[in-house]
């Protein structure tokens, strides 16, 4: 079945440093979504990427979808303590409706 | 619009018991998906309901079941609870159109189930 791997599992950064999490799928994806889960909270939808090579920005967050539509990344510039949480990618393969989630990257930002 | 609501928020049960969790989707959303989240396994898909029918199912034993009502509210049932069923159970709602593979899921706050 489809697998979505996400690295790193944990990342500790000093406030102001950049952060990147990577997502790789075993199959070509029709689209990929990114979610953020704060400690004690639930996943909150951030963004969806659909096109090959697509890049989207949300303030300090930059999301990329690979040319082959099998990988994606989330980059945060100049992290802040409010960025703390676990970031998940979730992909759909082909015409499937089911989302397969990556294992998540837990980000800690040290003040 | 009100968000996805789940009840109860916390639950403590003992092995062998059964439990029913409830999820009310965002108004107008017809699809409800259920996930199990544990520290070791991440977010695991349980099943999806649309128009009162199970549309997709993950790899969980038959002890896990669900249903959806005509108002799109959904319930999930776990019978003969095991210690390993302790987890955060999340439901997510979406519009659910079969032709829309870009459908976005919105999660509820989850039910924290502890099995003793």
């Amino acid at each position: 079945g489809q697998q979505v791997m996400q690295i790193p599992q944990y990342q500790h950064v000093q406030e102001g440093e950049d952060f990147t999490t990577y997502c790789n799928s075993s199959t070509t994806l029709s689209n990929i979504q990114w979610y953020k889960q704060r400690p004690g909270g639930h996943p909150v939808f951030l963004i969806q990427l659909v096109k090959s090579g697509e890049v989207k920005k949300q303030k300090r967050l930059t999301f990329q979808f690979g040319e082959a539509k099998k990988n994606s990344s989330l980059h945060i510039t100049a992290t802040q303590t409010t960025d703390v949480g676990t970031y998940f990618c979730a992909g759909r393969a082909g015409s499937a409706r089911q989302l397969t989630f990556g294992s998540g990257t837990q980000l800690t930002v040290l003040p | 619009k009100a968000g996805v609501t789940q009840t109860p928020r916390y639950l403590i049960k003992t092995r062998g018991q059964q439990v029913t969790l409830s999820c009310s989707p965002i108004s107008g959303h017809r699809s409800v998906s259920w996930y199990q989240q544990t520290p070791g396994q991440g977010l695991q898909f349980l099943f999806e309901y649309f128009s009162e029918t199970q549309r997709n199912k993950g790899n969980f034993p038959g002890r896990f079941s669900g249903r959806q009502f005509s108002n799109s509210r959904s319930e999930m049932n776990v019978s003969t609870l095991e210690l390993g069923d302790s987890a955060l159970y999340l439901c997510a709602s979406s519009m659910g159109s079969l032709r829309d593979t870009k459908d976005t899921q919105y999660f509820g706050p989850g039910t924290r189930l502890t099995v003793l």
Side-chain angles (χ1 to χ4, degrees):
Chain A
Q2 181 192 0
Q3 289 189 335
V4 177
M5 282 74 70
Q6 196 172 348
I7 57 168
Q9 189 175 359
Y10 302 97
Q11 184 79 60
H12 292 211
V13 299
Q14 207 69 41
E15 189 173 16
E17 291 182 337
D18 292 355
F19 158 77
T20 305
T21 173
Y22 301 91
C23 197
N24 288 286
S25 170
S26 57
T27 58
T28 302
L29 301 171
S30 58
N31 57 77
I32 193 158
Q33 301 181 1
W34 285 91
Y35 293 79
K36 176 184 178 181
Q37 184 173 21
R38 293 181 187 274
H42 58 276
V44 173
F45 174 77
L46 292 176
I47 208 160
Q48 177 168 239
L49 305 171
V50 178
K51 300 176 184 175
S52 168
E54 188 170 14
V55 177
K56 285 189 176 180
K57 293 192 176 185
Q58 287 181 349
K59 297 183 181 177
R60 295 178 294 105
L61 279 60
T62 301
F63 304 83
Q64 290 188 313
F65 200 8
E67 294 290 340
K69 300 183 77 173
K70 294 182 75 173
N71 61 287
S72 181
S73 65
L74 158 59
H75 179 83
I76 302 178
T77 304
T79 54
Q80 300 174 358
T81 54
T82 53
D83 295 325
V84 163
T86 301
Y87 293 84
F88 292 94
C89 62
R92 283 196 177 97
S95 59
R97 278 194 47 80
Q98 182 180 329
L99 276 172
T100 300
F101 279 79
S103 52
T105 296
Q106 187 175 317
L107 173 64
T108 300
V109 180
L110 305 169
Chain B
K1 265 187 183 177
V4 180
T5 57
Q6 290 187 246
T7 57
R9 293 293 310 278
Y10 302 91
L11 208 47
I12 299 176
K13 292 284 187 180
T14 55
R15 277 182 299 175
Q17 287 188 308
Q18 75 164 14
V19 67
T20 299
L21 313 180
S22 181
C23 173
S24 292
I26 291 170
S27 177
H29 284 190
R30 297 171 64 191
S31 168
V32 173
S33 296
W34 288 90
Y35 295 86
Q36 181 194 66
Q37 186 175 34
T38 58
Q41 297 295 321
L43 273 158
Q44 301 288 312
F45 173 75
L46 283 154
F47 27 65
E48 178 196 11
Y49 283 86
F50 179 83
S51 291
E52 303 177 63
T53 302
Q54 188 181 87
R55 190 154 66 174
N56 283 302
K57 189 177 188 308
N59 295 321
F60 277 81
R63 299 185 298 108
F64 292 82
S65 63
R67 59 177 176 168
Q68 187 180 34
F69 302 95
S70 58
N71 61 357
S72 294
R73 189 178 71 85
S74 177
E75 287 182 347
M76 191 194 103
N77 184 274
V78 188
S79 63
T80 320
L81 284 166
E82 300 177 359
L83 295 179
D85 296 333
S86 293
L88 179 66
Y89 289 88
L90 294 157
C91 80
S93 81
S94 67
M95 294 295 288
S97 169
L98 195 58
R99 287 176 287 183
D100 184 8
T101 57
K102 300 191 292 294
D103 204 26
T104 299
Q105 294 191 349
Y106 297 90
F107 284 84
T111 294
R112 174 77 60 185
L113 172 65
T114 302
V115 181
L116 303 175

